[in-house]
Amino acid sequence: MIKNIFLLAAVFLVSLTVKAQKEFDATKPKLVVGIVVDQMRYDYLTRFADRYGEGGFKRMMNEGFNCKNNHFNYVPTYTGPGHASIYTGTTPKYHGIIANNWFDKELKTSVYCAQDDSVSSIGTKTDAGKMSTQRMKTTTFADENRLFTQMRGKTIGVSVKDRGAILPAGHTANAAYWFQGKDEGHFISSTFYMNELPKWVKKFNASGTSKSYLKTWNTLYDIDTYAQSGSDLNDFEGGFKGKATATFPYDLAELKNTNGGFDILKSTPYGNSIVADFALAALKGEDLGKDEFTDVLTVSFSSTDYVGHNFGVNSKEIEDTYIRLDKDLERFFNGLDTEVGKGNYTVFLTADHGAINVPAYMRSKKIPAGYLNNKAMRTKLEAFMNTTFNADDLIENISNNQIFLNREKIKSLGLNLEAVQDAIVNEIIDYTNVYKAYTATTMGKASFTTGIEKLLQNGYNQKRSGDILVIQDPAYIAYGKTGSTHGSGLNYDTHVPLLFFGKGIKHGKTFKKTEITDIAPTITALLDISTPNFSIGQPIDYILE
């Protein structure tokens, strides 16, 4: 009798536990979607607001939470570090992705952030698939979700750019896919994830979707109504080879042969449309959000970056690109409603960096801005090194506003490394357009809490960064005279959107400062799982229900 009572009690407790677990799981979204819009300044949300519909950016703001004062907290603001920092909750100081490309002090050569020569391409005969996360040292929130669910929650990464697909999805991703242009126009992957493309990917690649976008790119609406950008014909835009002016319309089918074949699509809004198409195909092909284990889909819209680099922040082309991206977002959100169900998914949207207005344009408006002559600076610096230290090979590399020294040679000459670093700083601080300079020794010893110095320190990786870190004058760039770029710690590069909406998200807005490293811990708080292993951000708890 007593034995039966204990047995019934045990069964009852187990049933309560199972019920509680089911109720707990029901509080989580079935799918988390992370969206990164490459090179999106915060003011694109407000500048083009009158042109947006109700189902894209405005849906996120009207139904979700808008963090209006969101910033990157490190330098440099590039694509690789940006995507890594968003999903790891930490900065290059810890995750190790210090740039898109950087000088490897051990290999003595430049390396690419997603490069992995130990793997092979899948879906292409080129080396474009020889990519993985091997250079990223820390976990992403997608990795933590995979570990928490015993690998039952899926992770899929999608982008035009390889680094935009690979770094967010993390080390344990089921797959990452990126667009191979040229004469192929297909989404590809790597043996890091698989040995063969899934059937749904092969079907998409064979569908002719990419080819369908090789058409005329004209403004979606009457160009005379595009009042939030400069004149269509000006001196500040690049354009395409084979067309005399950077003006609408653009016949992409005619221009493709002189602009990299299918690669031309990357520099148009249609590159974003292809990514939206493929992300919707991934929802169905991978059955994302269909079971009790939370899945993660990372989507990076990279064509905004290509358009910005080519045409600039103030162009008609950038305005049209964002108007069309808004339509693609609406289409994508409608697909989530259909496939996963309203109230079953959570989305965040941010950017990997902002962008500077074209310096030539700013100078025409009497705003201090300009262009750097890095070649002249290097020549002058090398002459100083030769005169001061009687050696002409003490500098191994100058890149990403960092100077890498030949430490072996310095040691062999009996020189003190810190003294050499200090001498360089004292020399270059007097160079034209050098605003600030710091040594690696300073970055390693000091503890900065404010200003550009804090951002420099958050971007400084002791094993990978250079010996001297240089900050140029505000709004001075090493770039061509047309188009926009990025990379600095100034507000035009650090201030980016941060929108959340969907399951578990309150409706509201804030001007409290949030940082890019807060996103990952916010998502892991929503999922009630471990934060990424080197996360330094804090959950934005006031946005969570």
Side-chain angles (χ1 to χ4, degrees), residues 144-159:
E144 297 299 334
N145 183 65
R146 290 273 285 158
L147 293 169
F148 183 84
T149 61
Q150 299 299 311
M151 302 295 168
R152 290 178 286 218
K154 286 186 176 181
T155 300
I156 304 293
V158 178
S159 180

Side-chain angles (χ1 to χ4, degrees), residues 281-324:
L283 279 177
K284 297 179 181 180
E286 297 290 343
D287 290 325
L288 298 178
K290 297 293 187 182
D291 58 26
E292 65 271 32
F293 302 106
T294 300
D295 297 324
V296 175
L297 175 62
T298 73
V299 182
S300 180
F301 291 104
S302 302
S303 290
T304 42
D305 184 67
Y306 288 103
V307 175
H309 277 295
N310 191 355
F311 297 97
V313 164
N314 200 46
S315 62
K316 299 290 186 194
E317 286 81 2
I318 207 73
E319 182 171 357
D320 191 66
T321 295
Y322 275 89
I323 291 170
R324 290 177 181 272

